[in-house]
Amino acid sequence: MVRIKFIKENKEVEAALGSNLRFKAQENNIDIYTFVGKLTQCGGYGQCGTCVVDIIEGVENLSPRTAVEEKKLRKRPSSCRLACQTVVQGPISVETKPDKKASLKKAKAEAAQAKAATTTPEASEPASAAAE
């Protein structure tokens, strides 16, 4: 058994290893959909992208992002997942209905950090050596 903590709802639930996050949320009366999401949700098939959650802790305890998630969440940070596509393999903390503007800021910061990590000091050495 693993523990899933829903932060906004201040609720912890137990789930079997390999449980689907959307199913466990619904089973425990955790509302993961915004108003529009409630009207347009696809029933857990990954087609609508309305069951977005932000994994605050334990992202390493989840199944990898699916191709559907990569497409639907390309403007969101890597901690955002579609609950319907997420299999829980260890303890996690989840924020339901994450703020879209905050997610965009987090994604931009994540992209900037990734870009900075790829720019290594060795890449700038030849330029400084040529200046000498």
Side-chain angles (χ1 to χ4, degrees), residues 2-120:
V2 296
R3 296 196 69 67
I4 303 171
K5 181 177 183 180
F6 293 95
I7 296 170
K8 287 182 179 177
E9 295 79 6
N10 195 27
K11 189 172 186 180
E12 283 192 32
V13 300
E14 285 197 6
L17 199 62
S19 293
N20 177 278
L21 184 56
R22 177 184 177 272
F23 179 76
K24 289 312 291 183
Q26 289 182 323
E27 187 178 76
N28 289 280
N29 297 316
I30 305 290
D31 187 13
I32 59 173
Y33 295 103
T34 61
F35 178 72
V36 174
K38 289 175 188 162
L39 299 174
T40 61
Q41 60 109 349
C42 66
Y45 294 102
Q47 301 302 306
C48 65
T50 59
C51 61
V52 177
V53 294
D54 196 359
I55 308 302
I56 305 303
E57 291 179 7
V59 73
E60 68 279 358
N61 294 328
L62 301 173
S63 57
R65 267 188 174 189
T66 64
V68 168
E69 286 180 285
E70 291 297 340
K71 183 178 179 184
K72 296 281 184 188
L73 301 174
R74 66 182 171 268
K75 293 183 180 178
R76 299 272 191 146
S78 60
S79 61
C80 283
R81 298 293 304 266
L82 293 179
C84 69
Q85 300 293 299
T86 305
V87 176
V88 181
Q89 300 168 335
I92 60 169
S93 294
V94 180
E95 179 184 355
T96 55
K97 300 182 237 176
D99 181 61
K100 196 168 192 172
K101 288 180 182 178
S103 280
L104 293 174
K105 283 183 184 179
K106 192 174 174 182
K108 285 181 182 179
E110 192 176 89
Q113 189 176 27
K115 186 176 180 181
T118 59
T119 307
T120 60

